[in-house]
Amino acid sequence: MFGLLDTMGLLPKPMHRCPIPLANDPEAIVIPKHSTPKTLPQKLSYILEDESFNGDPLFGGRQTWEERDESFKLNTTMRVHCGFMKHGGAEMEAMDVKYVKKCKFVVASGIFDGYDTPHQPSNISTRSKKLFCFLMVVDEISFTNITKTDAVTEDSDGGKWVGIWRLIVLHEPPYDEPRRNGKVPKILTHRLFPQAQYSIWIDGKMELIVDPLLILERYLWRGRNTFAISQHKHHRSIYEEADANKRRKRYARPLIDLHMKIYVYEGMEAWSPKKRTPSDVPEGAIIIREHTPMTNLFSCLWFNEVNLFTPRDQLSFGYVVYRLKGAFKFFMFLNCEYNSLFILHRHTREHSSKVEWVKNVTELEKNSKMKESKGGLGLWTPYPGDLASVEIPPAPHIKE
């Protein structure tokens, strides 16, 4: 029994932590006066309407295979799909839109489908409390749950707060799969908070225990990086991660296979030491960014893959890096440092998505209610290539 629970990822594991080489004093941190110089693209804009389609709008749009391929070709000026299509959902209230316009430095988190409760950050300096906006993005279900379990206060402008967190309620969920809704603030932080120069994303199940100024100094400014994310604890190849996702029932197994077959067909090799990056698989629960045109483009392209295929963003990260052919530079830091940035809390309940338990396509074909209607549409759109003979690279089972 314990072996089965361990395979499913239901038994807690002790985290491997190591010291982070942080600066000593947040008050002494020198913030860069200027943004990182622009590379390609110099100018980035977003497609807001699918002009050739007259049906109901979708948050992620209806990106064609041709548009997807073109989006990976770097140019001085680029216009790409990046969520937030007109009338596609994920609407913020006017008072929140006004509030976030002042936010240049952001710590963001999110809770969807009542899956977590807010956790107050600790070890936050007075300087960081004044400098950063702490923004907790929630859907209506989560907001209702929070009002029942936490002390929610309201300021003179109508803004809702839980401790240091300003609650940002997103109305009209863009997807019918809560995990996919959670990718909106996580990956598209620059779209929700367009005035932000720097952001730190932390998943809702985590309690941040390191001052955010020290985080920016350690992972961005010290090494002149614009994007930082941790290595995965166990996996380096997306095909290993995909295999683990299937075993742990993180999404429909046949759809994960189809997603990976497309990547194999498009030339994505399994990770090996000859690659330039430490891993193709990140721990996506903490993302540290300077919002430059390139990091914003990467986030858009990453989100487009999550929108088009499975919502498991760790499967798409390395693929987007591959398609940009080395142009996207990022700092992938040690997993033991990642574990030292937070305290992990349990979810309030287990996720209840039916699609995660699907074993074969026949189940989806017989029961259309198990299929997503607003996301993952690339898995149901004829692919312009022959996938019949494509084989997914074998993935050795790693004891996790």
Side-chain angles (χ1 to χ4, degrees), residues 176-247:
D176 42 26
E177 165 58 40
R179 286 193 191 276
R180 205 180 287 274
N181 286 326
K183 308 307 177 185
V184 174
K186 173 180 179 175
I187 301 178
L188 299 184
T189 314
H190 68 289
R191 297 284 276 127
L192 270 178
F193 315 126
Q195 275 70 41
Q197 296 174 347
Y198 297 95
S199 70
I200 299 169
W201 168 265
I202 180 167
D203 275 6
K205 63 185 176 182
M206 295 175 170
E207 173 190 332
L208 187 66
I209 59 174
V210 176
D211 185 273
L213 259 179
L214 296 181
I215 292 175
L216 291 183
E217 193 282 329
R218 161 68 182 109
Y219 295 107
L220 296 187
W221 300 331
R222 190 182 305 179
R224 297 184 179 180
N225 304 304
T226 58
F227 190 107
I229 197 165
S230 162
Q231 300 176 30
H232 193 277
K233 182 178 180 181
H234 300 292
H235 306 137
R236 294 190 176 185
S237 167
I238 63 169
Y239 305 112
E240 294 173 356
E241 178 66 12
D243 183 69
N245 273 245
K246 290 191 295 181
R247 286 186 284 110

Side-chain angles (χ1 to χ4, degrees), residues 334-352:
L334 295 175
N335 185 269
C336 61
E337 286 194 30
Y338 159 83
N339 289 328
S340 298
L341 291 168
F342 62 87
I343 295 173
L344 183 65
H345 296 268
R346 289 182 178 274
H347 294 302
T348 56
R349 61 178 179 79
E350 285 302 313
H351 193 58
S352 56

Side-chain angles (χ1 to χ4, degrees), residues 243-261:
D243 183 69
N245 273 245
K246 290 191 295 181
R247 286 186 284 110
R248 296 186 174 203
K249 298 180 175 62
R250 295 294 191 250
Y251 201 67
R253 297 177 191 179
L255 299 184
I256 291 176
D257 281 342
L258 177 56
H259 186 181
M260 293 299 97
K261 282 189 174 185

Side-chain angles (χ1 to χ4, degrees), residues 90-198:
E91 301 290 339
M92 290 170 59
E93 297 183 24
M95 62 183 176
D96 292 328
V97 173
K98 180 181 178 181
Y99 177 81
V100 302
K101 284 182 178 179
K102 73 174 187 178
C103 298
K104 305 296 184 183
F105 291 74
V106 168
V107 175
S109 188
I111 298 173
F112 288 82
D113 202 34
Y115 204 32
D116 297 289
T117 58
H119 304 290
Q120 297 302 315
S122 55
N123 304 312
I124 309 300
S125 66
T126 300
R127 186 183 184 192
S128 287
K129 289 178 182 177
K130 294 178 180 178
L131 184 65
F132 283 82
C133 294
F134 291 79
L135 306 175
M136 176 68 70
V137 183
V138 299
D139 59 6
E140 294 176 357
I141 293 174
S142 301
F143 177 73
T144 300
N145 287 351
I146 291 169
T147 60
K148 294 176 181 178
T149 59
D150 293 86
V152 177
T153 60
E154 184 173 327
D155 61 27
S156 58
D157 296 320
K160 307 298 191 297
W161 298 80
V162 173
I164 201 171
W165 292 109
R166 169 70 177 244
L167 299 179
I168 306 294
V169 182
L170 292 188
H171 300 280
E172 300 178 31
Y175 301 106
D176 42 26
E177 165 58 40
R179 286 193 191 276
R180 205 180 287 274
N181 286 326
K183 308 307 177 185
V184 174
K186 173 180 179 175
I187 301 178
L188 299 184
T189 314
H190 68 289
R191 297 284 276 127
L192 270 178
F193 315 126
Q195 275 70 41
Q197 296 174 347
Y198 297 95

